[in-house]
Amino acid sequence: ARELERAPSTGSLLVGGSWTYLADVALASGELAEAERLQRNALRTFEGLAMDHQAWREKVLGLCGLAEILRSGARLDECAAAIREAEQIVHREALDEDLRGSILRRKVLLALQLRRFEEALGFAEENLALRERIHGPRSPQYAEALLDRGVAAVNTPGAEASLALLGEAVDLAEAILGPLDQRTLIGKNNLASACAQREDWARAAELLEETAEAFGSLYGAEHPSALA
């Protein structure tokens, strides 16, 4: 980060991408203020470029990253504003559909946090269909979208076979994203919560123990998610 601070103020896509990577690392470690600072540095870098297709694309992805940081900090109005700005850019600049999937995912997560579960499920199903069409059913993008659909389904009243859907999504995520991928672990945590709500205490305890051990190996025993 210190090296990037000394980079030329005009920046480049590479510098902006490096800021975004560091922001992702900070977010994964729970350092929200640092993650936001780094992500805003990325956005300023992209805004300093000649705004061609690729620069607009990177700005949209940066806004999606910022939305995730703001959501994690429960700054939900600001999160929604970042999502809206990203949507406006995609529409105005006629950017690719894959970016719409990234925006849909942030809409799913925001709706879940707002406890608008039916809305979240609608966004999740739209994103799942888009990701399957673009990337196929064995892609990381599809596995991620399937997890989001499963989480939305287990929280939506009347969703049929929702626990099984989330269980299948976690299995696919472990196979495609990997058992230590944060998205897999968050999906498994959600599956544990769903099992507990249905009083399947043994399965819930097993899943929580697995995720706590995995988070501990990734981020250390003091990380909040490592404390079972």
Side-chain angles (χ1 to χ4, degrees):
R2 285 193 296 272
E3 291 298 321
L4 287 174
E5 297 281 7
R6 292 194 289 268
S9 58
T10 53
S12 68
L13 290 175
L14 179 60
V15 170
S18 298
W19 282 124
T20 294
Y21 171 77
L22 291 171
D24 289 343
V25 172
L27 177 60
S29 300
E31 300 173 13
L32 296 184
E34 179 65 1
E36 181 180 356
R37 184 185 74 82
L38 294 165
Q39 191 63 68
R40 289 191 186 279
N41 280 351
L43 286 168
R44 280 193 293 272
T45 300
F46 297 136
E47 289 161 0
L49 302 173
M51 295 306 289
D52 58 9
H53 178 91
Q54 187 60 34
W56 281 120
R57 194 177 195 284
E58 292 299 328
K59 181 172 181 180
V60 168
L61 291 173
L63 285 166
C64 287
L66 180 62
E68 181 60 17
I69 294 164
L70 295 169
R71 185 191 65 82
S72 298
R75 293 160 60 186
L76 303 186
D77 289 343
E78 293 173 82
C79 173
I83 292 170
R84 283 194 301 271
E85 184 179 354
E87 278 190 300
Q88 290 164 1
I89 293 171
V90 169
H91 178 73
R92 186 183 69 238
E93 302 297 326
L95 300 179
D96 56 90
E97 274 198 301
D98 210 24
L99 288 175
R100 192 162 65 85
S102 297
I103 292 169
L104 279 169
R105 179 159 202 262
R106 271 63 193 186
K107 287 183 157 186
V108 172
L109 298 176
L110 177 59
L112 285 171
Q113 193 147 337
L114 290 168
R115 303 186 66 79
R116 297 175 183 167
F117 298 124
E118 291 185 5
E119 183 179 317
L121 183 57
F123 289 141
E125 289 178 340
E126 184 180 355
N127 189 34
L128 185 65
L130 185 150
R131 298 299 197 174
E132 183 174 21
R133 179 165 52 81
I134 295 176
H135 299 286
R138 297 293 297 178
S139 64
Q141 295 88 347
Y142 180 84
E144 178 183 75
L146 194 67
L147 277 174
D148 291 342
R149 197 273 302 268
V151 172
V154 295
N155 286 288
T156 301
E160 297 296 326
S162 57
L163 192 65
L165 286 176
L166 182 53
E168 291 169 7
V170 168
D171 289 343
L172 184 67
E174 286 190 314
I176 293 178
L177 303 175
L180 295 181
D181 186 276
Q182 192 173 44
R183 293 162 293 182
T184 302
L185 295 174
I186 290 171
K188 192 177 283 190
N189 260 339
N190 278 283
L191 181 58
S193 296
C195 288
Q197 289 169 6
R198 291 156 177 77
E199 298 186 0
D200 186 351
W201 307 116
R203 180 63 175 145
E206 178 186 355
L207 289 164
L208 286 173
E209 184 176 344
E210 289 175 5
T211 57
E213 181 178 345
F215 273 114
S217 69
L218 288 170
Y219 304 116
E222 298 306 312
H223 190 277
S225 297
L227 303 175

